[in-house]
Amino acid sequence: MLIQLAEDLPAYFYDVFVTRFDFWLVFGIGAQLVFGSRFILQWIASERAGRSVMPLSFWFLSILGGLMTLVYGFVRREPVIIIGQGLSTVIYLRNLALIFRERRRRTAP
């Protein structure tokens, strides 16, 4: 079984990354890079602060990466991506709304 897997794996990756290579594959990979970069940003911000922090830019990267991945899901007709990123993007937007509401509250006389 492992020998068969080792023989089939290169053909699988060739099919996924070469045969199906198009603009939307590049777009989807870019979306994942944007989405994943938010964790690197959060890690750097936390290291600088010496505690766990969630910078505002984390939420903007979440929204941008989530929307890009959602578009990719619609184009590729992937219901798992559509459901996951659709719900996640709503949550990211809600977090931003709560953050801005709290900031307005703090600055109000």
Side-chain angles (χ1 to χ4, degrees):
M1 183 169 133
L2 288 177
I3 294 171
Q4 186 63 44
L5 180 63
E7 291 174 359
D8 292 343
L9 210 50
Y12 173 81
F13 282 110
Y14 183 84
D15 181 52
V16 170
F17 291 102
V18 177
T19 304
R20 298 172 188 235
F21 184 84
D22 63 2
F23 169 79
W24 289 109
L25 176 64
V26 174
F27 183 87
I29 291 170
Q32 284 301 310
L33 290 172
V34 169
F35 194 71
S37 70
R38 69 197 183 120
F39 292 113
I40 296 168
L41 178 87
Q42 191 270 333
W43 176 38
I44 291 168
S46 293
E47 288 293 333
R48 286 183 178 163
R51 62 184 176 81
S52 181
V53 296
M54 197 69 62
L56 187 62
S57 52
F58 175 90
W59 298 110
F60 286 111
L61 282 173
S62 297
I63 292 167
L64 178 61
L67 287 174
M68 289 174 71
T69 305
L70 184 60
V71 167
Y72 177 81
F74 277 118
V75 169
R76 294 293 191 178
R77 299 172 184 240
E78 293 284 344
V80 173
I81 293 174
I82 294 167
I83 292 167
Q85 289 305 319
L87 178 61
S88 297
T89 302
V90 169
I91 294 168
Y92 305 145
L93 289 168
R94 179 64 180 148
N95 274 302
L96 272 182
L98 292 171
I99 290 167
F100 287 131
R101 182 186 336 163
E102 178 64 27
R103 286 185 177 186
R104 277 193 308 272
R105 226 183 264 150
R106 276 192 259 143
T107 58

